[in-house]
Amino acid sequence: MVSATEDNTVDVVGMWATADGHIRQELLANGRYDEARGTRRSAYTGRYTVTGTHIDYVDDSGFTATGDIRDGVLYHEHLVLYRQEQQA
């Protein structure tokens, strides 16, 4: 479930993954992200900021990307990622 904060910014912290699980993007509470691709852990790392339902990414290597949350789904450039349930 995706919830909003008091300033109407979507809470995105947690693990997001493509339907096949090949790409997994962990959005951390400290504004950092760690993206795995297949068996390659930390394939991309960097920072992100959220404004409303929009996410701006700046990778540690310098490239930028964007994403938007719509109906609980993260549309990140050409990827479609779904929030993963946390394991107890």
Side-chain angles (χ1 to χ4, degrees):
M1 178 177 179
V2 177
S3 60
T5 63
E6 286 182 20
D7 65 356
N8 215 23
T9 295
V10 174
D11 175 16
V12 299
V13 172
M15 183 65 73
W16 296 79
T18 54
D20 64 3
H22 182 75
I23 297 173
R24 299 165 313 281
Q25 187 177 88
E26 185 174 13
L27 300 177
L28 304 168
N30 64 359
R32 300 275 306 160
Y33 71 88
D34 190 318
E35 184 174 301
R37 295 199 170 215
T39 59
R40 185 174 171 209
R41 299 178 73 191
S42 300
Y44 297 99
T45 58
R47 64 185 192 280
Y48 72 93
T49 56
V50 181
T51 306
T53 60
H54 181 79
I55 304 174
D56 289 298
Y57 298 87
V58 178
D59 189 79
D60 289 339
S61 66
F63 73 84
T64 61
T66 62
D68 291 288
I69 304 283
R70 292 191 305 271
D71 297 324
V73 177
L74 171 53
Y75 296 89
H76 170 60
E77 298 296 334
H78 66 282
L79 301 174
V80 178
L81 300 126
Y82 302 91
R83 181 169 243 160
Q84 304 298 290
E85 296 296 321
Q86 292 183 337
Q87 301 293 321

